[in-house]
Amino acid sequence: MSATSTFMVFATLRDDTDFAEFAALRDDEQKQLEVLRAEGKIGAHYVSPARRATFVEVIAADEQQVAQTLATLPFARFFDADVYPTTPPDAAEAAHRARS
């Protein structure tokens, strides 16, 4: 694999989301997030239900690889995503992550 970078994905829930289908996939989504974390492809993940949004840290070589990682998530089809390249974590964040 080539050098990795960190990207923050901000995704908002689409207005046409079928919430019954969404709810039915919740366990599959959580399982896939755990797989991606174990593979070192996903870091932090935050949800803002009030804003119908999620924030996902993706570790990848480039934005194409980010898209490939996101496509493996069952919830991907329910969200419109914006991808932002970020700087590497500072020393304090790196130390925190090492303890986790």
Side-chain angles (χ1 to χ4, degrees), residues 25-35 37 45:
L25 292 171
R26 186 172 308 277
D27 287 343
D28 293 339
E29 177 79 0
Q30 292 304 314
K31 288 175 187 170
Q32 182 62 12
L33 282 168
E34 288 304 316
V35 167
R37 277 190 193 101
H45 177 238

Side-chain angles (χ1 to χ4, degrees), residues 7-83:
F7 298 82
M8 183 55 69
V9 178
F10 169 69
T12 53
L13 197 60
R14 292 190 179 121
D15 290 336
D16 64 352
T17 297
D18 176 337
F19 287 99
E21 184 181 3
F22 186 84
L25 292 171
R26 186 172 308 277
D27 287 343
D28 293 339
E29 177 79 0
Q30 292 304 314
K31 288 175 187 170
Q32 182 62 12
L33 282 168
E34 288 304 316
V35 167
L36 293 171
R37 277 190 193 101
E39 293 175 350
K41 294 179 179 180
I42 294 283
H45 177 238
Y46 301 99
V47 178
S48 175
R51 296 287 179 103
R52 298 169 47 125
T54 187
F55 304 85
V56 182
E57 179 185 37
V58 179
I59 298 93
D62 54 34
E63 289 190 34
Q64 180 180 3
Q65 197 174 65
V66 171
Q68 291 169 348
T69 297
L70 293 175
T72 70
L73 292 168
F75 282 179
R77 68 177 175 265
F78 301 113
F79 287 90
D80 291 320
D82 289 317
V83 177

Side-chain angles (χ1 to χ4, degrees), residues 81-96:
D82 289 317
V83 177
Y84 298 89
T86 61
T87 58
D90 62 21
E93 178 65 15
H96 170 75

